[in-house]
Amino acid sequence: AKEVYGPKDYPFQYDVVEVFIHVNGSKEGNLPYYEFEVTPFNQTLEVKINDLSQPFELGITTGAETVVTKTDKGWTGEFKIPLDKMGWTGDPKDIRGNFFGIFGKSPRTYWSLYLPPQKKAAFHKPEFFQPLF
């Protein structure tokens, strides 16, 4: 991980945990969906994806909170995401998404809860989102 970012640095370029969330109440189909990231230094990124050909709308204001705890064996991160600001009606079956972890420098390792194996990591695959509850 990198403790201080430069102007062209993003969390996904370093050690990071990500969650992608689609709320069925927000729109039919797979769009829009949201991406939330947290690093071992509690740096965050929130993205709203409306269009996969131009996927990044930075600076959304859902007000997600993160908590990172470091130990001698690694780190854990916790997301607190206000789903109502994303159009959630309160029905647990309406929340779909995926979780990811990206770790290391060379070689980097990529972990996904629901994606099939890939030759090159590509996380923006809403067709593979699964129920999160």
Side-chain angles (χ1 to χ4, degrees), residues 24 26-27 35 42-44 51 53-54 61 64-65 69 72-73 94 104 108 116:
N24 287 346
S26 64
K27 194 173 181 181
E35 175 181 355
N42 206 32
Q43 298 138 321
T44 61
D51 180 342
S53 67
Q54 299 176 353
T61 56
E65 295 178 36
T69 305
D72 60 344
K73 295 183 180 183
D94 285 344
R108 288 180 58 83

Side-chain angles (χ1 to χ4, degrees), residues 1 13 32 34 52-53 55 58 80 104 106 118 121 127 132:
Q13 295 168 313
Y34 299 82
L52 288 173
S53 67
L58 300 175
K80 294 181 182 180
S106 181
Q118 301 174 335
E127 64 270 24
L132 295 180

